[in-house]
């Protein structure tokens, strides 16, 4: 409405300006003298088609500029509202997680599973995994949820490689998937798991969960039975390994090596 009013005012100003350009009677001289500006009177008052086209072009340009401003402002407002909404969802999600409302948390976050926000996606990965761990979840549902969790964690990592939580939950979810893919895949995934736990610790050295899980990784390979070591050597030239000393070092916030 405001845009229409501005356009109408522009039209009125244009008409007034056009009328102001008309010369009064006799202004050209009673003896056929020329207009002093080098323009014949007919060029000013008689060529209405030229003026109309000029006015139309000006009006359309003005309308386009006003439309651009309105759209730009709308985009900024929409973006701000979107950020506010994400923050609100994350607050609700964290509250439900701390309250132990696993299923409600999963139901909340799955409404936004198409989101591109890394913070939301890694929380959804965690929620999917937590539902899979519930005693009432069937084996078939558990498998579906485990793979869902991995997909969400992967997307979170793609959206933000600087998120320590995305690295941590990606590593956890890969470990879970290994239970369904056999010993070869599980050993191969061990390299990836270690890499992402180490990255999580690098990004957030104070995250106790990442440090603890890195310690479990080291302990697991330090405790690997001889027959599994033999299988690993057959499958891989340099299979992952660790020692109790490295496990102790990891437990004191240091990472272990192959």
């Amino acid at each position: 409405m405001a845009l229409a009013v501005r356009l109408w005012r522009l039209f009125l100003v244009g008409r007034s300006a056009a009328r102001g350009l008309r010369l009064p009677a006799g202004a050209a001289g009673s003896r056929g003298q020329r207009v002093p500006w080098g323009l014949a009177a007919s060029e000013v008052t008689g060529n209405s088609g030229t003026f109309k086209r000029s006015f139309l072009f000006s009006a359309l340009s003005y309308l386009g500029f006003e439309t651009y401003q309105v759209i730009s402002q709308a985009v900024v407002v929409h973006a701000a509202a979107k950020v506010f909404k994400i923050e609100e969802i994350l607050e609700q999600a964290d509250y439900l997680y701390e309250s132990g409302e696993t299923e409600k948390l999963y139901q909340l976050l799955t409404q936004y599973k198409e989101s591109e926000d890394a913070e939301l996606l890694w929380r959804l990965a965690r929620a999917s995994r937590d539902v899979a761990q519930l005693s009432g979840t069937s084996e078939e549902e558990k498998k579906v949820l485990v793979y869902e969790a991995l997909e969400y964690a992967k997307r979170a990592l793609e959206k933000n490689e600087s998120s320590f939580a995305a690295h941590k939950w990606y590593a956890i979810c890969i470990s879970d998937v290994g239970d369904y893919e056999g010993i070869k895949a599980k050993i191969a995934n061990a390299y990836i798991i270690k890499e992402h736990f180490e990255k999580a610790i690098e990004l957030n050295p104070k995250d106790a969960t990442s440090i603890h899980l890195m310690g479990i990784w080291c302990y697991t390979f330090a405790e690997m039975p001889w027959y599994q070591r033999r299988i690993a050597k057959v499958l891989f030239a340099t299979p992952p390994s660790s020692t109790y000393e490295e496990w102790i070092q990891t437990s004191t916030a240091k990472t272990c090596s192959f």
Side-chain angles (χ1 to χ4, degrees), residues 21-231:
L21 287 173
R22 292 193 178 93
L23 299 178
S30 57
R31 297 185 180 181
Q33 296 175 344
R34 288 186 172 274
V35 179
W37 309 309
L39 291 175
S42 61
E43 291 181 284
V44 178
T45 61
N47 196 352
S48 61
T50 301
F51 169 74
K52 289 178 180 178
R53 285 192 296 272
S54 177
F55 168 73
L56 180 60
F57 178 77
S58 299
L60 290 175
S61 299
Y62 179 78
L63 179 61
F65 176 71
E66 289 292 317
T67 303
Y68 169 77
Q69 284 190 315
V70 171
I71 293 174
S72 298
Q73 292 172 0
V75 168
V76 171
V77 171
H78 177 71
K82 186 176 180 181
V83 170
F84 176 76
K85 184 178 181 181
I86 289 293
E87 290 179 351
E88 186 178 341
I89 294 167
L90 295 181
E91 286 182 6
Q92 293 177 25
D94 290 343
Y95 174 77
L96 290 172
Y97 180 75
E98 292 169 4
S99 302
E101 298 286 355
T102 303
E103 292 177 297
K104 287 183 180 180
L105 173 59
Y106 178 73
Q107 290 170 4
L108 169 67
L109 294 179
T110 48
Q111 297 178 65
Y112 309 99
K113 61 183 180 181
E114 301 302 325
S115 172
E116 296 185 356
D117 187 88
E119 292 297 305
L120 191 150
L121 289 169
W122 73 252
R123 284 172 170 81
L124 181 52
R126 180 182 65 183
S128 301
R129 183 180 185 273
D130 287 347
V131 173
Q133 301 291 325
L134 295 177
S135 58
T137 304
S138 68
E139 286 302 317
E140 290 183 1
E141 291 174 325
K142 181 177 180 179
K143 183 177 180 180
V144 171
L145 287 165
V146 163
Y147 278 93
E148 273 187 16
L150 177 60
E151 183 60 29
Y152 295 138
K154 181 180 178 181
R155 284 174 53 201
L157 200 55
E158 289 172 351
K159 299 302 177 184
N160 185 6
E161 291 186 354
S162 298
S163 169
F164 83 92
H167 283 280
K168 175 173 68 178
W169 286 100
Y170 184 63
I172 293 171
C173 292
I174 288 179
S175 178
D176 290 342
V177 166
D179 294 337
Y180 298 98
E181 298 189 344
I183 185 66
K184 184 176 181 178
K186 197 164 188 175
I187 294 174
N189 287 342
Y191 294 98
I192 302 171
I193 292 167
K194 175 180 179 291
E195 176 187 344
H196 287 283
F197 278 144
E198 287 182 333
K199 188 63 177 178
I201 293 170
E202 178 187 330
L203 291 168
N204 186 359
K206 296 183 179 180
D207 182 52
T209 305
S210 297
I211 295 170
H212 174 69
L213 293 173
M214 190 69 250
I216 291 176
W217 189 98
C218 292
Y219 181 80
T220 299
F221 285 98
E223 280 281 294
M224 182 184 287
W226 66 269
Y227 64 90
Q228 289 186 1
R229 291 181 187 277
R230 181 169 295 180
I231 293 172

